[in-house]
Amino acid sequence: MGEVNARWAAEWGSSGLAHLTGLPDGPPDFSRANVLRRAQRVVADAATLLTGRAGLLGLTRGGRVSAGGATRLMAARDGWCAMTLSRPDDIAAVPALLGVDDAGQDPWPAVQRWVATCPVAHIVGRAELLDIPAAVLGEAPAGPPRIRQIAHSVPPRDVGGLLVADLSSMWAGPLCAHLLARAGATVVKVESPTRPDGTRAGHRAFFDWINGRKLSYCVDFARGSDELRALLAVADVVVEGSRPEALARRALGVGDTGHRDGRIWVRITGHGGDSRRPAFGDDAAVAGGLVGSAAAGPVFCADAIADPLAGLEAFGAVLASLHRGGGELIEISMAAVAATYAALPPEPSQAALPAPPPRAPTLTATAPALGADNARVRHLVDERRCLSC
């Protein structure tokens, strides 16, 4: 191993990423060390951002079971595929997926037996009909963000002082908004009272880590659409991770919130804006071919890695757009991001280097309670409206 490659392999190991990759009863996997090398071009502390959740939750490698436990990498009749059963609706849909009355209390054995008899295209197609996240290994092509001009550009700007509306949830979008807040933007995390960010009810330290620097704004997306539209109209950056029609049917989409020169709208989806398929970080990584290597076949790479990588790439895309003057819609596909990183030359999978578990990041702020900053956000909106009069 060359000196440069050895350096990145050592950083991959010391970061905890090798500890999270590989078979649970086998050695840690160093084959994707170049992923960290590219990620650190976006932010210097990329290793912490990629492994922070695992460090906080005490996760370890599971081979073909994701570190978080909700996704499986399975051998089908003609290839490999991944499926995620993280939501109650996913589990409830398993009998329909398999064509049975009852899949049992633990649906995974039945799912794996069914997958083994089916071609991958049939598995993913049937899962899509039932809105279950699933992917074929390596199906997604690599590609940069899709960028479209939607407003006039303005002179180049820095992040400091910008107003960011974060409509996203879970990890990728919130991480992009977290990095913008860290760079000096005022970030408003927007949540519905009936469907707040799912991570708010999960491991609190993870939610605080990603959202602690943001203002919390709670508004009903239906009854409060006028109020939310007013925020989006004055925001400099909007980050969202919904299917495009979800906001459009409430007239809250990119074309419904008034003209604002220089505004940047970031849309993060699992498989691109033209697809309705749901995705989470582990199955999106498999779609992009970003997996570790083991003698018996592919294994998951790190922890839901397509999520934080997409967040990093979205942040980098916003910085580039600000330099161009903005006025752009930026579409980020998690699967395409994973494929871009998967295309990097792999390293030897084994190395005589330490691979300690990931460390928990330092928490610098506690995320506010749901809607705690509503009054402050309304005041910000009124101020910005007055400035534009």
Side-chain angles (χ1 to χ4, degrees), residues 25 30 48 53 63 68-69 71 85 124 198 208 247 252 254 264 277 279:
D25 56 353
F30 291 80
T48 299
R53 188 180 82 149
T71 310
L85 302 177
V124 172
D208 286 344
L247 293 177
L252 293 169
V254 65
I264 300 167
R277 290 169 59 187

Side-chain angles (χ1 to χ4, degrees), residues 38-380:
R38 176 183 169 114
Q40 287 186 337
R41 295 176 186 172
V42 182
V43 290
D45 62 339
T48 299
L49 299 172
L50 296 178
T51 63
R53 188 180 82 149
L56 290 166
L57 276 61
L59 304 182
T60 189
R61 62 183 179 274
R64 294 192 186 97
V65 177
S66 64
T71 310
R72 298 291 189 277
L73 184 53
M74 299 171 285
R77 200 169 74 192
D78 59 348
W80 291 88
C81 66
M83 187 177 297
T84 299
L85 302 177
S86 63
R87 305 167 296 183
D89 287 351
D90 298 330
I91 297 171
V94 169
L97 177 74
L98 307 184
V100 299
D101 294 329
D102 184 10
Q105 188 172 2
D106 177 6
W108 281 116
V111 169
Q112 289 181 297
R113 288 193 297 270
W114 174 75
V115 164
T117 68
C118 299
V120 290
H122 175 74
I123 295 164
V124 172
R126 190 163 177 81
E128 182 178 0
L129 289 174
L130 296 167
D131 207 38
I132 296 174
V136 178
L137 176 60
E139 65 170 290
R146 287 171 46 177
I147 299 173
R148 177 163 59 91
Q149 199 76 31
I150 56 172
H152 297 303
S153 60
V154 297
R157 294 172 290 172
D158 295 324
V159 175
L162 298 183
L163 178 62
V164 177
D166 177 15
L167 278 65
S168 64
S169 61
M170 305 306 284
W171 197 352
L175 176 58
C176 172
H178 163 80
L179 292 170
L180 291 169
R182 204 171 73 173
T186 297
V187 178
V188 177
K189 182 169 181 63
V190 182
E191 297 174 83
S192 162
T194 56
R195 294 189 66 184
D197 188 332
T199 59
R200 183 179 282 276
H203 195 289
R204 184 66 198 199
F206 175 66
F207 186 82
D208 286 344
W209 175 48
I210 296 297
N211 298 291
R213 296 172 181 257
K214 305 173 187 177
L215 303 177
S216 177
Y217 181 56
C218 182
V219 59
D220 190 297
F221 280 41
R223 290 192 294 271
S225 58
D226 288 344
E227 190 176 332
L228 179 52
R229 194 175 299 111
L231 169 63
L232 300 181
V234 298
D236 299 298
V237 180
V238 178
V239 180
E240 53 108 340
S242 306
R243 293 166 181 167
E245 65 270 18
L247 293 177
R249 65 172 170 257
R250 293 186 173 90
L252 293 169
V254 65
D256 304 310
T257 54
H259 178 86
R260 183 171 178 80
D261 289 349
R263 182 173 58 186
I264 300 167
W265 193 290
V266 182
R267 178 180 295 151
I268 302 175
T269 61
H271 296 274
D274 298 329
S275 173
R276 297 193 72 259
R277 290 169 59 187
F280 289 91
D282 285 303
D283 56 84
V286 170
L290 185 54
V291 293
S293 62
V299 293
F300 284 111
C301 176
D303 170 34
I305 196 166
D307 258 314
L309 287 178
L312 292 179
E313 292 296 306
F315 173 65
V318 170
L319 296 184
S321 182
L322 288 171
H323 182 73
R324 291 190 296 268
E328 296 175 334
L329 168 64
I330 301 172
E331 293 187 279
I332 306 282
S333 159
M334 293 201 301
V337 169
T340 299
Y341 279 83
L344 299 173
E347 302 294 336
S349 60
Q350 294 187 35
L353 295 167
R359 296 181 293 273
T362 301
L363 301 182
T364 58
T366 300
L370 184 64
D373 301 301
N374 275 19
R376 183 177 173 188
V377 172
R378 291 180 185 122
H379 181 67
L380 280 172

